[in-house]
Amino acid sequence: MQSSISQTQSQVIYDEGLRNFMLGVYNYMTCALAVSGLVSLGISMSPDLLKLIWGTHFKWVAIFSPLAMSLAFAFLVQNMSAYSARVFLVVFAAVMGLSISSIFLIFKLGSIAQVFFITAATFGATSLYGYTTKRDLTNIGSFLMMGVIGLVIAGLINVFLQSSMMSLVISCISVIVFVGLTAYDTQNLKNTYDELDESEREKAGAIGAFNLYINFINIFMALMNILGEKKE
């Protein structure tokens, strides 16, 4: 009887710790999204800034900086502290805000808001699936990461080709790939909590927030290209 009570108490403590860990990850991700939104919106409210960024060669810096920073993060993250990883996420989110500010030139504001809420609902449902499913998504995650590499290559090619059909195909595939990665990354975070001790979980949470943030932004941008209502 006493053993059963002790196991129940241990399970309650574990569940509370896991919830707090995941909540921290989502809080970091939400803060990063807020930074991106504020930077992007702030730029959109300044015609001079929009012209400086998207009417000059600086646009190439805006387009390629997030990719360069994400690659740098992948190479440097193992030597980062938890604090450094969180700071990097905030800086990256600001740069991403600059990069996605072009949507305010192309799409109507109401359409942007609508697609954002669709993205949030899609992301939330998929992340919940990844958290609750008993299915092992490891193999799916490996396959989807290969898909990301293909999407990056195709996207870089289309920057120069400017094919609307290719852009639409890339966007459709992107939604599938990053929705799948959202489920995979969420499950991976849950498993990470089991495998790491307390001192390592803080950094793992910052890395997880970065990955989920990337997934959210890519789903959002892909859905904007598919569902967004363009200005006349």
Side-chain angles (χ1 to χ4, degrees), residues 3-36:
S3 175
S4 177
I5 294 174
S6 177
Q7 288 178 355
T8 302
Q9 290 175 337
S10 297
Q11 186 63 43
V12 169
I13 293 173
Y14 171 83
D15 289 343
E16 183 178 357
L18 178 59
R19 283 195 297 270
N20 289 337
F21 172 74
M22 295 301 295
L23 182 61
V25 171
Y26 290 125
N27 283 341
Y28 290 142
M29 186 200 77
T30 302
C31 287
L33 289 173
V35 169
S36 295

Side-chain angles (χ1 to χ4, degrees), residues 156-173:
L156 290 174
I157 293 172
N158 202 43
V159 166
F160 302 100
L161 293 181
Q162 293 295 305
S163 168
S164 57
M165 179 57 68
M166 187 174 180
S167 178
L168 182 60
V169 171
I170 291 172
S171 295
C172 292
I173 296 174

Side-chain angles (χ1 to χ4, degrees), residues 152-212:
V152 170
I153 294 172
L156 290 174
I157 293 172
N158 202 43
V159 166
F160 302 100
L161 293 181
Q162 293 295 305
S163 168
S164 57
M165 179 57 68
M166 187 174 180
S167 178
L168 182 60
V169 171
I170 291 172
S171 295
C172 292
I173 296 174
S174 292
V175 172
I176 296 171
V177 168
F178 286 102
V179 162
L181 279 175
T182 297
Y184 165 77
D185 286 333
T186 302
Q187 184 182 80
N188 190 50
L189 276 168
K190 186 179 178 181
N191 294 337
T192 295
Y193 181 83
D194 293 333
E195 297 167 359
L196 301 179
D197 58 37
E198 189 66 33
S199 62
E200 296 172 312
R201 287 171 183 163
E202 192 172 357
K203 180 177 177 179
I207 296 172
F210 182 90
N211 291 335
L212 290 176

Side-chain angles (χ1 to χ4, degrees), residues 101-177:
S101 62
S102 61
I103 63 175
F104 291 97
L105 289 172
I106 302 170
F107 300 100
K108 294 181 179 179
L109 185 60
S111 179
I112 294 172
Q114 184 180 42
V115 172
F116 178 85
F117 286 115
I118 292 173
T119 303
T122 302
F123 178 91
T126 308
S127 189
L128 180 62
Y129 170 78
Y131 185 83
T132 57
T133 186
K134 301 300 182 182
R135 181 181 179 184
D136 186 358
L137 303 178
T138 303
N139 291 333
I140 295 176
S142 301
F143 175 76
L144 292 174
M145 284 306 300
M146 290 189 291
V148 170
I149 295 172
L151 286 170
V152 170
I153 294 172
L156 290 174
I157 293 172
N158 202 43
V159 166
F160 302 100
L161 293 181
Q162 293 295 305
S163 168
S164 57
M165 179 57 68
M166 187 174 180
S167 178
L168 182 60
V169 171
I170 291 172
S171 295
C172 292
I173 296 174
S174 292
V175 172
I176 296 171
V177 168

